[in-house]
Amino acid sequence: MELSIKSDAIDVGKWVSWKRHLLKYNELARIYRDHSGERIPVFGGEEKEIPPNWIGQKEIFEKTYASTVELYGKLTRRKPTPAIAGLENLLHPVIQQVSMKHYNNGDFRNSVVDAITSLFDKIRERTDLKTDGPILCDSVFPIDKALLIFSEIDSESGRNDQIGHMEILKGFYRGGRNAHSHSLIHNLDAIKAAQYLVLASLLMRRLIDAVPRPPK
């Protein structure tokens, strides 16, 4: 991660550049919040309003000057997250490729979002459909019009396998991808993210092993 803070933007003696400084602070706060999951306030948004008066501006500048230096230090000193022992052995190669760099850098949110996105990329790749999420699943996996079959649909157990994995994919998209892609605030850590990646790997294997429905 490469970040820079220009000296003229954080020099407390040049407090007149407070607007530019607050933008830099907000940028660092959001990056740190994304990586750590720790809730850090930002200014000028819903959490803290910027006061219009000179004194209030100067006070905010002096406070956020110290906060910016602290956040910058935390981000630049951040060490890669050691992978859980044996994790990569449990992951499908596609999930390793799209997620492990994020995971090892401590970017658990994007490791999970990219893993789930890759599942739906694989469905589109195999079916030539262009939709996404539950709508895509409803076009590919229902018993009466399945384009991909996980095992077989001539028995009750096979039909349960088909519908069950369709519902898992739909739920994974809603509860995993949507929940984490629409907000930078999350509670993911190394263990929780690894659990998502293992589930994504199972689903990726099933998607690749699924067979096209034979023509009638």
Side-chain angles (χ1 to χ4, degrees):
M1 180 190 311
E2 294 185 0
L3 298 170
S4 63
I5 303 178
K6 296 180 181 179
S7 61
D8 64 342
I10 64 169
D11 185 348
V12 75
K14 298 180 179 179
W15 68 269
V16 290
S17 61
W18 63 274
K19 284 187 177 179
R20 189 166 72 179
H21 168 71
L22 290 183
L23 290 175
K24 177 58 66 177
Y25 171 81
N26 286 347
E27 175 189 350
L28 292 176
R30 290 188 177 101
I31 293 172
Y32 183 73
R33 189 163 62 182
D34 188 19
H35 279 256
S36 69
E38 183 179 341
R39 189 168 182 81
I40 302 293
V42 297
F43 290 83
E46 61 184 12
E47 294 164 277
K48 285 186 178 292
E49 293 296 328
I50 299 174
N53 57 76
W54 182 91
I55 296 176
Q57 292 167 9
K58 188 172 187 297
E59 288 176 351
I60 285 183
F61 184 90
E62 291 173 347
K63 288 180 180 178
T64 56
Y65 170 80
S67 298
T68 302
V69 172
E70 180 184 2
L71 281 175
Y72 182 75
K74 287 181 178 180
L75 283 164
T76 54
R77 290 194 303 270
R78 189 178 184 86
K79 297 180 179 179
T81 302
I84 295 172
L87 174 60
E88 290 200 45
N89 295 331
L90 297 174
L91 301 185
H92 190 280
V94 174
I95 303 302
Q96 289 185 27
Q97 182 179 5
V98 302
S99 295
M100 282 308 293
K101 182 177 180 180
H102 292 310
Y103 182 91
N104 288 333
N105 286 335
D107 186 0
F108 302 126
R109 173 182 171 272
N110 279 319
S111 73
V112 170
V113 170
D114 285 4
I116 300 173
T117 299
S118 72
L119 296 173
F120 290 83
D121 285 345
K122 180 59 66 177
I123 298 172
R124 284 187 287 270
E125 175 190 314
R126 297 209 58 197
T127 62
D128 291 327
L129 297 178
K130 305 300 181 185
T131 53
D132 196 17
I135 294 174
L136 178 61
C137 290
D138 286 338
S139 300
V140 175
F141 300 116
I143 300 297
D144 59 343
K145 57 179 181 179
L147 301 180
L148 295 175
I149 299 174
F150 288 114
S151 53
E152 48 84 21
I153 54 176
D154 294 328
S155 68
E156 183 178 356
S157 62
R159 291 189 290 271
N160 287 338
D161 185 46
Q162 183 77 9
I163 297 302
H165 279 85
M166 177 181 73
E167 295 300 333
I168 291 171
L169 282 162
K170 291 163 69 172
F172 204 23
Y173 185 92
R174 287 186 172 124
R177 183 185 180 280
N178 280 358
H180 293 110
S181 64
H182 294 164
S183 175
L184 295 179
I185 301 172
H186 61 81
N187 65 350
L188 292 171
D189 57 22
I191 297 293
K192 293 173 184 176
Q195 291 166 341
Y196 276 103
L197 299 187
V198 170
L199 176 55
S201 294
L202 167 64
L203 293 171
M204 182 63 74
R205 178 180 64 79
R206 294 305 305 270
L207 288 172
I208 291 174
D209 290 347
V211 297
R213 185 169 195 159
K216 294 182 179 179

